[in-house]
Amino acid sequence: MKSLKEIFEDPKVSQSVLTDGLRVLDEEIAKRSGIGGMAIKGAYKVIKNVQGGRTLEKAVKILMPEFIDKLDPYFTRFQEEGKGKTWEEYLRPHYNVLADELLAVTDRKIKGTDNRAVRGTYDKLRPKARKEVIASLPALSGMMERYL
C-alpha cells in the first residue's frame, strides 16, 4: 500500500492536487457569510492579490508536504480500519485534533515569513481559524478522495 505522501508527492499527481486544493480553498472562502465571512473574504482577497496570486500558490506548495505528513497516519489507519467508509467519513471523528495539527503547521510557518501583509492578516484571523479549518475539512477530504 502506498502512503499518502507517496500518492500526493508523485509528480504526475502533485500539480493536480495543488490546482484542486486552490479551487477548494476558493470555494470554501466563497461560502463564508456574515461579518466573520466578510473578514475572511477580505483577508483572502488581500493574500490572493499579493504578487498576482503567486504568494497564495507558493504558501500552499510550502504547506502541502507538512499537511500530508500530518494526514499520513490517518491514511494508514484508514487503509487498515476504514473498510466501507469514504476518506471523509473516516476523518470526520478526527476533525478537531486534525485541525489543531494542521494549524500548528501554519502557526510555525507564519512565524518564519517576512511578508508583513500575510503575517498580519493571519494574526487577525487566527483566533477563529480552528472553526474554519474544521468547516473546510469535508471539502478538502472529498477533493483528496479523488486521488486515493
Side-chain angles (χ1 to χ4, degrees):
M1 286 188 228
K2 285 188 174 183
S3 70
L4 199 60
K5 188 175 190 111
E6 290 170 318
I7 294 168
F8 287 130
E9 291 185 357
D10 179 329
K12 298 173 193 160
V13 174
S14 62
Q15 184 58 46
S16 294
V17 171
L18 175 65
T19 301
D20 280 350
L22 289 167
R23 179 187 48 75
V24 167
L25 185 57
D26 284 346
E27 291 169 357
E28 288 299 301
I29 297 297
K31 289 179 188 176
R32 299 306 179 249
S33 61
I35 294 171
M38 286 175 35
I40 291 168
K41 287 176 181 179
Y44 186 67
K45 184 176 180 180
V46 167
I47 292 171
K48 196 166 181 177
N49 288 330
V50 174
Q51 295 183 347
R54 290 186 307 278
T55 297
L56 180 62
E57 185 172 330
K58 181 180 174 183
V60 173
K61 282 182 181 178
I62 290 168
L63 292 168
M64 201 162 71
E66 290 190 54
F67 284 176
I68 290 168
D69 286 344
K70 296 296 182 188
L71 286 158
D72 214 1
Y74 295 94
F75 184 66
T76 299
R77 289 192 304 271
F78 169 66
Q79 289 177 312
E80 296 166 358
E81 306 165 2
K83 303 294 183 232
K85 291 184 178 180
T86 66
W87 175 234
E88 191 277 326
E89 289 169 336
Y90 181 80
L91 282 180
R92 194 176 306 142
H94 307 285
Y95 280 175
N96 289 324
V97 173
L98 186 54
D100 292 337
E101 291 174 357
L102 297 175
L103 285 167
V105 171
T106 58
D107 289 346
R108 187 171 33 75
K109 291 290 188 181
I110 205 71
K111 287 179 185 175
T113 187
D114 57 355
N115 188 316
R116 291 186 311 186
V118 171
R119 186 176 31 238
T121 301
Y122 183 85
D123 289 344
K124 287 178 187 170
L125 295 175
R126 179 57 177 92
K128 296 186 182 209
R130 185 173 190 269
K131 177 183 145 202
E132 296 301 328
V133 170
I134 290 169
S136 296
L137 282 170
L140 176 65
S141 56
M143 179 275 295
M144 293 173 70
E145 184 113 32
R146 288 180 261 160
Y147 298 95
L148 305 178

